[in-house]
Amino acid sequence: FLDSDSNADGYIYAYDGAISLMDSGGDHMIKCINDDGIRFSSGASEKMRITNAGDVTFYSDTVTITSANTNDPGLIIKNTNADAEGPKIDLIKDSSSPADNDELGNIYMRGDNDAGEVIEAVWIRGYMTDVSDSTEDSRLRFYTYKAGAQTNTLDLESGAATFYDNIALLADKSIWIGASNDLVLQHDGSNSYITNNTSNLYIRTYTTDGTIRFQADDSAGSITDYIKIDGASSYTEFAKPTRHMDNVYSQFGDSND
């Protein structure tokens, strides 16, 4: 190809089952190889490859997709095969010297505040907390912003979940514990319930000399003890009078003496 001064700015070169578009320095810009796909380069460095099977590989540190349109840009990954498997995203940390607590990948969601500063509003990090063969452990950590500061909100690690702030459930939603909803914690919008559906329900404290207190409103707008199970004195104390309805009685002694 010649420019307006009749200087060669590029070449088309065919050889050994390949055809290339080359710059004036002889570097391959686009190279089509028989039965091996297409390669795109910048200077002497390959940046992208499309194989005959349709697989695309980028050899670049950063790939940016930009749009000024509403709800764009978008990235769609679609699987149309008629099987039970879905598409996937792989973030791979391929280290020659893996170590405990290595990061595996990061996902960021950034936006501007009203001062025009870019804020890392949501951050998801993956770690390999233990790289020992056959005893591997990992952690998925979620960060969000609270009152102007980035905070660790949730950790999913080695089969356990750790929350670093309040857990809010809407009315009529429950926390189910056990394989068969054995224990249920619920608020129905008016009342709260602790429901045990399997075997016995234990309320206990292991604190030395600890106390279990049953408290309620004292009819004057304050909270007070009604029953106290005192581990220090080994007494069950009633702080308010008890009332037994008609035909209901109390029994004392091992044999209802």
Side-chain angles (χ1 to χ4, degrees):
F1 300 99
L2 301 179
D3 62 18
S4 59
D5 295 324
S6 298
N7 297 315
D9 286 337
Y11 308 90
I12 295 179
Y13 185 53
Y15 72 100
D16 197 22
I19 183 169
S20 296
L21 176 63
M22 307 174 71
D23 63 15
S24 59
D27 292 322
H28 297 277
M29 305 301 290
I30 302 176
K31 184 177 182 180
C32 302
I33 305 173
N34 188 30
D35 294 329
D36 196 28
I38 307 173
R39 300 179 185 184
F40 298 82
S41 302
S42 176
S45 177
E46 184 178 357
K47 299 300 182 182
M48 185 177 76
R49 181 180 298 185
I50 304 175
T51 68
N52 284 353
D55 295 329
V56 180
T57 302
F58 292 91
Y59 300 92
S60 178
D61 293 335
T62 303
V63 177
T64 302
I65 305 173
T66 303
S67 174
N69 297 326
T70 302
N71 294 326
D72 287 324
L75 177 63
I76 299 174
I77 302 174
K78 180 186 290 187
N79 182 305
T80 59
N81 194 27
D83 60 13
E85 305 299 325
K88 62 183 180 180
I89 298 175
D90 283 343
L91 304 180
I92 301 173
K93 171 70 172 180
D94 189 8
S95 173
S96 60
S97 55
D100 291 352
N101 296 312
D102 276 354
E103 275 192 352
L104 301 180
N106 294 272
I107 298 175
Y108 300 94
M109 301 178 200
R110 297 184 174 98
D112 293 344
N113 63 14
D114 60 7
E117 300 168 324
V118 178
I119 300 299
E120 210 169 73
V122 178
W123 180 15
I124 304 173
R125 306 174 74 183
Y127 298 87
M128 198 73 171
T129 53
D130 184 356
V131 297
S132 303
D133 185 22
S134 77
T135 63
E136 297 90 347
D137 288 299
S138 61
R139 177 195 304 131
L140 186 63
R141 175 166 286 176
F142 295 81
Y143 293 86
T144 58
Y145 257 73
K146 179 180 180 179
Q150 190 176 61
T151 60
N152 181 193
T153 304
L154 169 65
D155 280 355
L156 304 178
E157 181 172 1
S158 304
T162 302
F163 294 86
Y164 292 88
D165 211 321
N166 298 324
I167 302 173
L169 294 181
L170 300 179
D172 285 327
K173 305 302 178 184
S174 304
I175 297 176
W176 299 344
I177 303 173
S180 301
N181 305 335
D182 304 315
L183 179 66
V184 180
L185 308 180
Q186 182 189 21
H187 180 75
D188 65 4
S190 300
N191 303 299
S192 299
Y193 304 89
I194 301 174
T195 304
N196 179 57
N197 295 311
T198 304
S199 192
N200 301 312
L201 176 65
Y202 291 81
I203 300 174
R204 55 190 178 184
T205 176
Y206 282 107
T207 302
T208 301
D209 295 335
T211 299
I212 297 175
R213 299 173 183 267
F214 292 85
Q215 298 181 325
D217 180 76
D218 63 356
S219 76
S222 298
I223 294 296
T224 188
D225 286 349
Y226 277 70
I227 302 174
K228 182 172 70 172
I229 303 173
D230 193 332
S233 65
S234 296
Y235 281 107
T236 299
E237 301 176 5
F238 293 85
K240 298 292 182 182
T242 62
R243 176 181 294 170
H244 297 259
M245 300 294 102
D246 292 343
N247 300 318
V248 177
Y249 52 87
S250 297
Q251 295 178 337
F252 299 89
D254 291 348
S255 302
N256 302 328
D257 304 325

